[in-house]
Each structure stands twice: as structure tokens, then as C-alpha cells.
Amino acid sequence: RGAARGRLEGPARMAARSDFERGRGRAPVRGCPTLLVALLAALLVLLLPRGGCAGAYPPVVLVPGAGGTYLQARWNKTSVPAPWCTRIQREWTDVWLALDSFFVPGGITCWSQNFRLVNWANGTSTNMPGVEVRVGYTGRDKSFGALEPVLCIDPSLCRETGYFAELARALQERAGLAPGETLLAAPYDHRYATDADAGPNADWEVNLTALVERASQSRGGAAQRVVLVSHSLGGLAVLHWLQNRTQAWKDAYLGSWVAISAPFGGSAKVSRIA
């Protein structure tokens, strides 16, 4: 996986990119989303009649869990951990999830240097020197709220890494929700806390507030209360965000919150990748 990946995979990424971003009205991913998300997606849409009328259902905002946001990276490093690793990558390329890096001999050595964080003595964390990481977008819509970063976590292998794609497709087909208007996402760099004072998630809670307000007004006329659907770590992020909103604001803008498998009681210790 070298510097050429970002250039050579352009056509493949365009082909794999969600039809949501091309305005065709459906996601091509019908493969293997995580079992838990697939089951909950079925429960959420089971009672929705197919071909729901536009405006009949409230707007929905999807909040992913740890590992549920597609991330890209580029770098210009002074050193690399192995001679086969690329020192300079000028174009944005996949870093989460970059499945091929896990199966190419020595690939995980290069990948881990680009993905890991440096934890400093003052309690802050940053990327490795010379590395930039961002929420990944390959489509036209690169704004906060676009669905693409949460549909599949490796766009070149959407069938194998589908995440919210099936749920998003069902909500559009059965509930008549429109991507970018009444069906939105709140992705984040899951290596950092969503309430961080600095780093890529520093404005996440502010952006989520604005996104919910925008969704509530998406159909014009009277505001509609929004439904939040979070998964795993996304539930903790939403909980912290809600605790910092006034009751009056929540009453005005939020209708309900579906927290899928949120670890409110704690979780197992996170494994460390050397």
C-alpha cells in the first residue's frame, strides 16, 4: 500500500461510493454490515410501511460507534518503521479501515504508525509527527452531516465493511427520508473523545447541535423533533452532549433517542496494537 493507492484507486472508489452521494436514491451496499447493527436496523424499520410518504416520519441523525467512521490520512514523515513503508503520501488515502494493510506482509507495521496517537505528559494526544488524519469523504458532499463516512468504513470494500448502509437504505425506502436533508450523520475521529477541547473533535458537540436544529427545519414550516440513532461509543458521546443541552432545547428539537448497544455500564479494556 504505497503512495500510488490514492491515485490508482480513484475509479474504484468512485464505483464503490454510495449512491446516496450520487443522488440515485439507494445504497449499493447489500453485503455484510455488522450483525448487531443489521438486527437493530431490522427492528427499527419493521413497522414502517414500504414507500413511506415524505414528511410522514421525523428526521433521523445517525451517530456511529468506535470504528464506525471512515477515516483518511496523508503524511510527510522524517522516518518510517520499515524500509517498505511510504515516507510521503501527499493525497488523502484510506487509514480506517484499510483492510489490505492487514493482509499484506508487513502492512500493519506501516499502517499502525499512521493511525496511532502520541499521548503527551500534559494529557493531550496528537497524531504521529508528520501525519494528518480526517473524517473521510470521496463524494461531492464533504459537510458535517453527510452520510458517506458512516455507510461503510472502507469504500474500496463496501460489501465487506458495510456499517450503517443497510439502515440508511431502509430508512430512505420505507420512511421516505432524504439523505443530506432528513437523514444525516454525525461522524467523528473515534481515536479522540468527542468532548475534547482540541483536536479534530473539538467542535463535534457544537456541530451536532447545529445539525439537529438544521434537520428539524429541513421540511420548512413548523419544526419537527429529530430522532437520534447511536451505536456503541456513539451512545456515550450522545449522552455527554445531551447532558450539556438545556431541557427547553431538548423538548424543542428532540423526539427520541435510540441507543444501540451503548456501554452505559462500562466495557472491556481496549486492546493495544503494538
Side-chain angles (χ1 to χ4, degrees):
R1 183 190 193 86
R5 176 174 172 83
R7 296 189 293 272
L8 296 179
E9 286 204 348
R13 288 182 183 175
M14 291 292 288
R17 191 172 68 209
S18 166
D19 279 345
F20 282 117
E21 300 299 331
R22 296 196 293 266
R24 296 181 184 172
R26 64 178 183 83
V29 185
R30 297 176 182 267
C32 304
T34 59
L35 178 60
L36 183 61
V37 174
L39 291 175
L40 267 295
L43 291 175
L44 284 170
V45 301
L46 185 61
L47 299 179
L48 297 180
R50 185 173 294 277
C53 298
Y57 298 100
V60 172
V61 174
L62 305 175
V63 183
T69 298
Y70 165 50
L71 301 176
Q72 295 174 315
R74 64 184 180 185
W75 54 87
N76 187 345
K77 299 178 286 191
T78 58
S79 63
V80 290
W84 56 83
C85 298
T86 305
R87 189 177 68 82
I88 299 175
Q89 168 69 35
R90 291 188 172 88
E91 299 176 8
W92 290 105
T93 189
D94 303 348
V95 69
W96 183 267
L97 184 62
L99 273 180
D100 54 350
S101 296
F102 292 83
F103 298 103
V104 174
I108 198 168
T109 300
C110 309
W111 171 85
S112 62
Q113 187 188 41
N114 299 325
F115 187 69
R116 67 174 32 165
L117 294 176
V118 179
N119 298 316
W120 302 100
N122 63 0
T124 63
S125 300
T126 63
N127 292 314
M128 292 288 288
V131 177
E132 299 175 72
V133 177
R134 70 175 187 182
V135 171
Y137 299 93
T138 62
R140 293 186 300 272
D141 187 357
K142 295 178 172 59
S143 63
F144 185 81
L147 286 176
E148 182 188 4
V150 305
L151 295 178
C152 53
I153 52 180
D154 187 336
S156 65
L157 295 167
C158 274
R159 188 172 298 278
E160 294 80 5
T161 64
Y163 183 52
F164 271 137
E166 285 295 304
L167 175 57
R169 178 186 61 81
L171 288 172
Q172 184 180 16
E173 291 181 355
R174 292 177 176 267
L177 300 184
E181 297 177 11
T182 54
L183 181 56
L184 301 154
Y188 54 90
D189 186 337
H190 41 81
R191 301 172 305 154
Y192 296 87
T194 53
D195 62 334
D197 295 328
N201 297 336
D203 297 324
W204 186 81
E205 293 195 346
V206 173
N207 290 338
L208 179 57
T209 300
L211 187 67
V212 169
E213 292 175 355
R214 173 185 132 197
S216 73
Q217 301 287 343
S218 58
R219 293 190 174 109
Q224 287 190 297
R225 294 196 295 173
V226 175
V227 174
L228 293 173
V229 179
S230 64
H231 175 231
S232 190
L233 180 66
L236 299 184
V238 169
L239 178 61
H240 184 275
W241 171 75
L242 286 173
Q243 290 172 335
N244 288 279
R245 309 274 79 74
T246 66
Q247 189 61 49
W249 187 93
K250 289 183 280 190
D251 290 342
Y253 291 104
L254 296 178
S256 59
W257 171 27
V258 181
I260 303 172
S261 192
F264 294 130
S267 62
K269 184 177 180 180
V270 177
S271 299
R272 177 184 176 87
I273 299 177

